[in-house]
Amino acid sequence: MGCNTGVASILVIAGSGLSPAITYFPYAEHALVLLGSLYMLYLAYSLARASWENVGEYNEASPPGIISGVAAQYMNPKAWIVAISAFSIYVATGHTYGMTLEIFCGVFFVICFLSLWVWSIAGSYFSGMIVGIRIFNVSMAIFLA
């Protein structure tokens, strides 16, 4: 729930003025894209190097709360890039902008919630089928990069 709330609030922030400010300064937009791309490559590298060594610690830990999910999204450059891109593509400016912003954020929240729910169920189901974690991690890292 925290990830969804974080993404929805980032959409509100982007739609309330950040997106036009970023698009007004094209170099800032390019810098965000570059930083987001570098972050994705870092995540891919980290994933490729991951192992099962500390998996017991993760199984015993309590799941993160809403605040942790929101904080994770606020530190996630991909979420900011998606929000800024989404507004520049899908949300029209004009006299109905406020209503369009509310509808867009609501639809995005629902889709994000359903996507994360399906992703969690699929991950839980398929995690027992993974035989070679190293091969899986490298494969996922390649897809991410």
Side-chain angles (χ1 to χ4, degrees):
M1 200 62 169
C3 290
N4 300 329
T5 305
V7 169
S9 64
I10 288 171
L11 288 169
V12 170
I13 292 168
S16 298
L18 179 65
S19 184
I22 294 294
T23 55
Y24 182 75
F25 300 103
Y27 292 113
E29 187 175 9
H30 294 306
L32 284 174
V33 169
L34 178 64
L35 289 173
S37 298
L38 290 173
Y39 180 69
M40 294 291 285
L41 290 173
Y42 166 75
L43 288 178
Y45 174 75
S46 298
L47 180 59
R49 295 196 44 180
S51 67
W52 278 107
E53 289 177 8
N54 299 326
V55 77
E57 294 175 17
Y58 295 112
N59 288 337
E60 295 172 5
S62 61
I66 291 176
I67 301 297
S68 297
V70 171
Q73 292 308 310
Y74 272 55
M75 293 183 289
N76 183 356
K78 297 176 298 185
W80 290 96
I81 291 169
V82 165
I84 291 167
S85 299
F87 275 103
S88 64
I89 295 170
Y90 297 111
V91 178
T93 58
H95 68 282
T96 61
Y97 182 76
M99 183 179 67
T100 306
L101 175 64
E102 291 173 8
I103 292 170
F104 184 75
C105 291
V107 168
F108 211 95
F109 180 86
V110 170
I111 290 171
C112 184
F113 178 81
L114 294 174
S115 298
L116 287 174
W117 182 67
V118 168
W119 186 256
S120 298
I121 290 172
S124 178
Y125 176 75
F126 288 116
S127 66
M129 297 180 183
I130 298 173
V131 177
I133 190 66
R134 183 82 177 135
I135 294 169
F136 176 78
N137 284 347
V138 170
S139 301
M140 292 295 106
I142 291 169
F143 288 130
L144 183 60

